[in-house]
Amino acid sequence: MPRGKTAGKTPGKPARQLLFSEALRQQKHPPAEDPLPIPHSSMADDTQDATMDHILQEISAVSRKLEGMDSAMVALTAETRSMRLDIAGLQSQISGLDQRVATVETQVAAWTDRDQELLHLRSRLIDLEDRSRRHNVRLLGFPEDIEGRDLLSYLRERYPN
């Protein structure tokens, strides 16, 4: 082989054989047996055809599985999109509820203040009622309204000096 040409340009021989042949020529040794002989029998062709058919069947099976995965991915994408919309709706509802809770908390705080004021007013009322009764005289053992209109005259008649 002339020096400017590459090994892969010779038709009919694989590039590996051409490189091997050129290396032998440069070493000036007699050609040895090719380490990777090319099979030429019909049984080898049948085995190769069977292997190719098996490989094609496997590729077809993988292709069907990939198509199934593709349709599953489309369904998952649609479901994910739907869930995103649901989550966005829930977030807006939570935001509205958060505002309502804040309003209720403010009202409860105001009611607590009013309850405290109410308790204070009740205690003052009880105190005032108790003070007004301190100068009253209670007579026990007499029926109610027995004295009539004038309690003092009733007591003078009933209990003379």
Side-chain angles (χ1 to χ4, degrees), residues 56-128:
L56 287 174
Q57 288 174 355
E58 290 294 321
I59 289 173
S60 176
V62 168
S63 176
R64 284 191 300 272
K65 287 180 181 179
L66 286 176
E67 287 173 2
M69 287 179 172
D70 188 40
S71 64
M73 283 297 285
V74 168
L76 283 174
T77 302
E79 189 173 339
T80 302
R81 210 172 277 136
S82 172
M83 285 181 177
R84 282 184 185 168
L85 291 174
D86 291 344
I87 289 172
L90 291 173
Q91 284 175 336
S92 67
Q93 286 180 354
I94 288 172
S95 175
L97 289 174
D98 191 33
Q99 290 173 353
R100 290 177 63 189
V101 165
T103 304
V104 167
E105 286 175 345
T106 303
Q107 289 176 350
V108 166
W111 290 343
T112 304
D113 292 342
R114 288 179 189 153
D115 284 346
Q116 292 296 324
E117 185 179 353
L118 183 61
L119 287 174
H120 177 70
L121 290 174
R122 280 185 184 165
S123 68
R124 285 188 64 199
L125 177 65
I126 290 171
D127 185 46
L128 288 173

